[in-house]
């Protein structure tokens, strides 16, 4: 997803210095708990946001879901991210509405695999199925100590994009473990950047 948004940024003639600065932020702050990055690009009436965060900021853990409580938490977070218009707020006069959400994370993939496995095991309890399940458990153990991120791409359509003046992040209210978000924005008015927090959740875009 990051490549898609960066390609759009290049199409809008982003300077090399801004791209270098963004890369430096990503490298220095890679997988730091409590910290995430957010890219925003305005292309006509389309406003695209790309969030990249350690899973711990959103879910509270980074191991693959291994019990019903974990799976319920992952499902709840995934559902919240899919309602992105409650997490990202634009100037009301711009008339921005959520159009599409794309989410990627090993936690989400594992949750979907668990649901699939449960259906398969219900239908077939042959020994081969049990061996496959054992392999799946081994995969869980292998992944347990590794870092996991959550990436999201959120596309909004704005009926009057020329009136887009600010981005506010109610996301901090939904995910208190998120301490700060490094935002890089490219709009028709230029390039904008800031570190947003729960106390300062708004970035001016004009």
């Amino acid at each position: 997803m990051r490549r898609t948004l960066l390609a759009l940024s290049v199409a809008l003639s982003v300077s090399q210095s801004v791209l270098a600065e963004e890369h430096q932020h990503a490298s220095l702050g890679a997988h730091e708990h409590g910290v995430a990055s957010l890219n925003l690009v305005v292309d006509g009436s389309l406003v695209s946001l790309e969030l990249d965060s350690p899973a711990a900021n959103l879910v509270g853990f980074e191991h693959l879901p291994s019990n019903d409580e974990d799976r319920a938490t992952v499902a709840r977070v995934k559902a919240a991210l899919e309602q992105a218009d409650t997490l990202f707020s634009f100037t009301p006069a711009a008339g921005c509405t959520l159009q599409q959400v794309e989410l990627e994370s090993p936690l989400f993939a594992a949750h979907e695999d668990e649901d699939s496995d449960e259906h398969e095991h219900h239908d077939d309890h042959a020994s081969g199925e049990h061996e496959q399940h054992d392999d799946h458990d081994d995969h869980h153990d292998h992944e347990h100590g590794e870092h996991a991120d959550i990436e999201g791409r959120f596309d909004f359509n704005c009926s009057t994009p020329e009136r887009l003046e600010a981005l506010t992040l109610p996301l901090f209210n939904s995910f208190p473990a998120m301490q700060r978000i490094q935002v890089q924005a490219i709009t028709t008015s230029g390039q904008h950047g800031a570190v947003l927090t729960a106390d300062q959740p708004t970035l001016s875009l004009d």
Side-chain angles (χ1 to χ4, degrees):
M1 278 186 286
R2 180 177 297 132
R3 287 192 296 270
T4 302
L5 202 56
L6 287 178
L8 182 56
S9 301
V10 172
L12 293 178
S13 301
V14 183
S15 68
Q16 290 298 320
S17 61
V18 171
L19 289 175
E21 181 182 355
E22 182 176 342
H23 177 75
Q24 182 180 27
H25 280 302
S27 298
L28 293 178
H31 206 90
E32 181 181 354
H33 289 185
V35 181
S37 66
L38 181 68
N39 296 324
L40 179 151
V41 172
V42 177
D43 182 19
S45 62
L46 175 65
V47 178
S48 295
L49 294 168
E50 187 180 82
L51 178 70
D52 189 351
S53 171
N57 297 344
L58 304 171
V59 179
F61 55 83
E62 297 192 347
H63 59 267
L64 298 183
S66 59
N67 54 51
D68 289 344
E69 183 178 359
D70 286 353
R71 286 187 283 273
T73 299
V74 170
R76 184 170 61 252
V77 168
K78 186 172 185 288
L81 292 172
E82 288 171 344
Q83 301 297 318
D85 47 1
T86 67
L87 306 176
F88 306 102
S89 177
F90 300 97
T91 309
C96 299
T97 56
L98 182 64
Q99 298 296 305
Q100 181 175 329
V101 175
E102 297 178 16
L103 301 173
E104 290 184 7
S105 174
L107 274 66
F108 296 152
H111 176 63
E112 293 170 358
D113 288 345
E114 287 287 351
D115 289 341
S116 177
D117 287 347
E118 287 179 5
H119 288 298
E120 291 176 2
H121 291 167
H122 179 74
D123 294 336
D124 188 354
H125 291 284
S127 59
E129 288 293 320
H130 287 297
E131 291 174 2
Q132 181 179 0
H133 186 67
D134 290 341
D135 291 341
H136 192 63
D137 289 341
D138 291 341
H139 178 68
H140 277 217
D141 293 338
H142 176 71
E143 295 286 349
H144 185 87
E146 296 184 4
H147 293 307
D149 288 344
I150 292 176
E151 297 182 7
R153 166 74 180 261
F154 312 94
D155 290 339
F156 291 79
N157 183 271
C158 301
S159 58
T160 52
E162 66 275 7
R163 303 187 69 177
L164 182 60
E165 299 177 350
L167 165 70
T168 301
L169 303 182
L171 177 149
F172 287 110
N173 298 325
S174 299
F175 301 105
M178 187 78 75
Q179 299 173 11
R180 64 184 188 274
I181 299 178
Q182 174 69 46
V183 183
Q184 297 288 336
I186 301 159
T187 73
T188 54
S189 65
Q191 302 153 3
H192 311 268
V195 177
L196 301 185
T197 66
D199 293 332
Q200 182 54 52
T202 299
L203 171 67
S204 175
L205 298 175
D206 57 6

